[in-house]
Amino acid sequence: MCTGQLLCAVGRDGNNHIYPIAWAVVCVENKDNWKWFLENLQEDLHLEGGFGNTLMSDQHKGIIEAVKDLFPEIEHRQCARHVLSNFKKKFPGAQYEKLFWKACKASTEPLFNSAMKEIQMISPAAYVHLMGRNPNSWSRAFFQIGRGCDAVENGLSESFNNVILDVRKKPIISMLEDIRLYVMQRMCSLRQKGSGWGHFDVCPNIRLAINELKIQQRYWQVLPSGLNTFETRNLGESYGVDLEKKTCTCRIWQMNGYGCVHSVAAISYVNRDVEAFVDPLYRACFYMNTYKYSIGSMNGSAMWPPTDYIPPLPPLKRKMPGRPITKRKRDSTEVSGSHRVSKAGKKMVCGVCKKSGHNKSTCDAVSKAQKSQVKKRKAEGEGETSALKKGKGQGQRAKGEKRKGEGDTGSGIGFKTGEGECGSTSGVTKKNGKEVGTLKLRKTSERILKKKLAKKVAGKNGEGDTSSKPMDLD
């Protein structure tokens, strides 16, 4: 019911949960509206150019240009899933998708170049397409370190959109109130949940991620090279780990803040606690500091004081160019609901000559056979035929014609009118040793027959009878 666009800013807390920050309704998603939204966000959060922060969005041109103007120092990442969706429109296939994710999740430039080289060997055009989409914004190999986030897709915003899916169908006031109530309850419940954790304990979701790394570290061999420095090896792979600086040459530890499989293997080698090397951002004390503020309760609309401000109304409905869209735009990754099996890539084979490239309706062999049959029938005096019928239908017709003329070779179907009989004769011919009944009807129209029948009825008593043989069709 509310026409327009709902702009949202969603953050991430220390337990990797979504944290809704701000939302607003605008008439259309363009540069001016995104700039207005980000200006308010910059003022409230004191971002001051965005230094030290990371922002991730889709590939909408409005937000890209607005971020360049307001946050010149911020790290602006693009959602890899949106990049892949546009990439698959021109280069579909599971092979391209697999190599794209390999290049996207590569944490170092050599790994990224290796994956892009494989794409270039398959299709140079695909390589040029991806390199033209600014890999610095969608590949981990170029992400800045020390941000506590190594995500390549904007799943947090999509999760928030899924929660308010039904709410967005309501009028503007009801929609904004329902979003406020949802965020108010969520902040209260998560604050109560975190109150039971230890003050310096690692958040549960981060602990689960570390436990997964502990399972994978068994495949890595650790070799000491100095004081708190190690080399981890797995077949042809090798990475250096420095426990004192909390760095790894794969760069993942510096990006996410809680470690990688190489750092976990090195820490376990010296028999120390892995959680002791986790960044303080993932401690319960920082998590509780995130939820120390809450959204206050409000009275109903009947208790709201009257003001001179213009009441908030939904944006005016904009008529988009072209025909209105009645169906939802499906993503390229979605499976269509059609029950028909696609014939893409299937070779057409003729059912007569068994050759590919055409079917029986355009087969030259069939047309030649038809022409020869027509000429043969004309020579036998069977008359012209408009079409040739094959198979069971032709056999049934021959049988029916035989039954009509069966046992009577001199006379066939006729109309009895009391004194005489008008009709036509049928004969029996033999073709290939089989009897085929052919019915020869006169070319007199049904209208003329009805007229002569009417004359016979009128002249039954001799009145109006001008012919001694009124039913003589000759």
Side-chain angles (χ1 to χ4, degrees):
M1 295 181 64
C2 178
T3 59
Q5 299 289 333
L6 181 65
L7 307 183
C8 301
V10 182
R12 181 186 303 223
D13 61 13
N15 199 29
N16 275 344
H17 282 160
I18 63 173
Y19 186 88
I21 300 174
W23 54 92
V25 179
V26 295
C27 59
V28 65
E29 188 179 4
N30 55 17
K31 178 183 177 181
D32 294 335
N33 289 331
W34 270 116
K35 189 173 183 180
W36 167 81
F37 181 79
L38 293 176
E39 283 176 351
N40 289 280
L41 196 65
Q42 181 184 32
E43 182 180 354
D44 293 339
L45 302 182
H46 305 286
L47 296 179
E48 301 299 334
F51 179 77
N53 295 278
T54 299
L55 186 146
M56 182 180 292
S57 65
D58 57 7
Q59 292 184 301
H60 193 273
K61 295 181 180 179
I63 189 173
I64 293 176
E65 297 299 325
V67 170
K68 288 181 181 179
D69 295 343
L70 295 176
F71 305 110
E73 299 176 358
I74 202 171
E75 183 190 14
H76 191 184
R77 302 178 186 177
Q78 297 182 19
C79 180
R81 194 164 295 277
H82 289 82
V83 178
L84 175 62
S85 178
N86 295 330
F87 176 64
K88 289 177 66 176
K89 293 178 181 178
K90 294 185 177 180
F91 305 96
Q95 189 176 15
Y96 286 111
E97 183 177 357
K98 183 178 179 181
L99 292 176
F100 171 81
W101 285 116
K102 183 178 179 181
C104 179
K105 296 183 179 181
S107 57
T108 60
E109 290 192 33
L111 294 177
F112 172 79
N113 295 332
S114 176
M116 293 301 297
K117 188 176 181 180
E118 295 183 39
I119 297 176
Q120 187 178 17
M121 292 176 63
I122 299 174
S123 174
Y127 173 82
V128 174
H129 176 85
L130 288 178
M131 294 302 294
R133 296 300 181 273
N134 188 15
N136 296 340
S137 61
W138 53 265
S139 178
R140 281 179 181 169
F142 308 100
F143 288 174
Q144 299 179 14
I145 61 177
R147 305 301 173 91
C149 179
D150 62 343
V152 295
E153 50 185 340
N154 196 13
L156 296 180
S157 298
E158 300 299 334
S159 299
F160 182 69
N161 287 333
N162 187 40
V163 171
I164 62 174
L165 187 62
D166 295 332
V167 176
R168 290 177 356 191
K169 302 176 183 178
K170 297 182 179 181
I172 181 169
I173 298 296
S174 302
M175 179 189 68
L176 294 175
E177 278 296 292
D178 286 352
I179 295 176
R180 182 187 65 84
L181 293 175
Y182 163 74
V183 176
M184 181 179 66
Q185 294 178 358
R186 177 178 177 82
M187 294 182 67
C188 181
S189 61
L190 291 180
R191 181 169 57 252
Q192 293 177 355
K193 183 178 180 180
S195 61
W197 304 340
H199 194 63
F200 295 101
D201 291 346
V202 176
C203 295
N205 284 345
I206 306 302
R207 184 178 288 112
L208 290 176
I210 293 175
N211 292 336
E212 291 292 332
L213 296 176
K214 289 180 179 179
I215 297 174
Q216 299 174 12
Q217 62 92 20
R218 67 182 68 179
Y219 304 106
W220 290 82
Q221 180 185 8
V222 181
L223 302 174
S225 63
L227 184 63
N228 291 329
T229 57
F230 303 89
E231 180 181 341
T232 57
R233 301 185 63 86
N234 182 11
L235 298 179
E237 296 183 72
S238 177
Y239 298 96
V241 179
D242 191 338
L243 298 184
E244 185 176 358
K245 297 180 180 179
K246 296 183 179 181
T247 60
C248 179
T249 54
C250 73
R251 298 180 68 251
I252 295 180
W253 194 5
Q254 295 92 297
M255 282 191 289
N256 60 21
Y258 57 83
C260 58
V261 63
H262 320 112
S263 63
V264 172
I267 295 171
S268 300
Y269 179 80
V270 296
N271 200 19
R272 298 181 64 180
D273 186 13
V274 178
E275 296 185 3
F277 292 85
V278 176
D279 194 281
L281 290 173
Y282 300 109
R283 301 289 177 179
C285 55
F286 277 81
Y287 176 85
M288 293 301 297
N289 190 38
T290 305
Y291 292 97
K292 68 179 181 179
Y293 299 104
S294 61
I295 298 178
S297 59
M298 290 181 59
N299 296 324
S301 58
M303 300 291 293
W304 293 353
T307 62
D308 296 333
Y309 297 108
I310 300 175
L313 297 173
L316 297 176
K317 189 174 182 179
R318 298 174 65 250
K319 185 177 181 181
M320 304 301 293
R323 296 183 62 185
I325 299 175
T326 57
K327 293 184 178 180
R328 180 178 65 87
K329 292 183 179 179
R330 292 186 177 271
D331 189 72
S332 59
T333 59
E334 294 188 50
V335 180
S336 60
S338 177
H339 63 279
R340 297 181 180 179
V341 180
S342 175
K343 292 187 178 180
K346 184 178 180 181
K347 293 183 178 180
M348 184 183 298
V349 179
C350 179
V352 178
C353 63
K354 306 302 180 183
K355 295 182 180 179
S356 61
H358 65 278
N359 54 15
K360 61 182 180 180
S361 63
T362 58
C363 183
D364 294 334
V366 176
S367 61
K368 291 178 181 179
Q370 288 178 350
K371 291 178 180 179
S372 62
Q373 289 180 8
V374 170
K375 290 180 180 179
K376 191 174 181 180
R377 290 193 178 185
K378 283 183 178 181
E380 293 177 355
E382 294 182 359
E384 297 181 356
T385 56
S386 60
L388 297 174
K389 296 183 180 180
K390 299 179 181 180
K392 184 178 179 181
Q394 190 175 5
Q396 289 178 350
R397 180 180 177 184
K399 291 179 182 180
E401 292 173 353
K402 184 178 179 180
R403 284 197 297 269
K404 289 179 181 179
E406 194 172 23
D408 188 1
T409 58
S411 62
I413 301 173
F415 297 93
K416 293 185 178 181
T417 59
E419 293 183 357
E421 182 178 349
C422 69
S424 61
T425 61
S426 63
V428 179
T429 60
K430 287 186 178 182
K431 184 178 179 181
N432 298 330
K434 296 182 180 180
E435 293 184 358
V436 180
T438 59
L439 182 62
K440 296 181 179 180
L441 300 176
R442 295 179 182 271
K443 295 184 178 180
T444 307
S445 64
E446 186 179 358
R447 180 175 58 83
I448 299 175
L449 289 174
K450 288 182 178 180
K451 277 187 177 182
K452 294 194 174 185
L453 285 173
K455 288 182 180 180
K456 175 61 180 175
V457 174
K460 188 174 182 181
N461 298 327
E463 300 175 358
D465 192 358
T466 58
S467 175
S468 59
K469 296 180 179 181
M471 290 301 295
D472 188 2
L473 300 180
D474 295 329

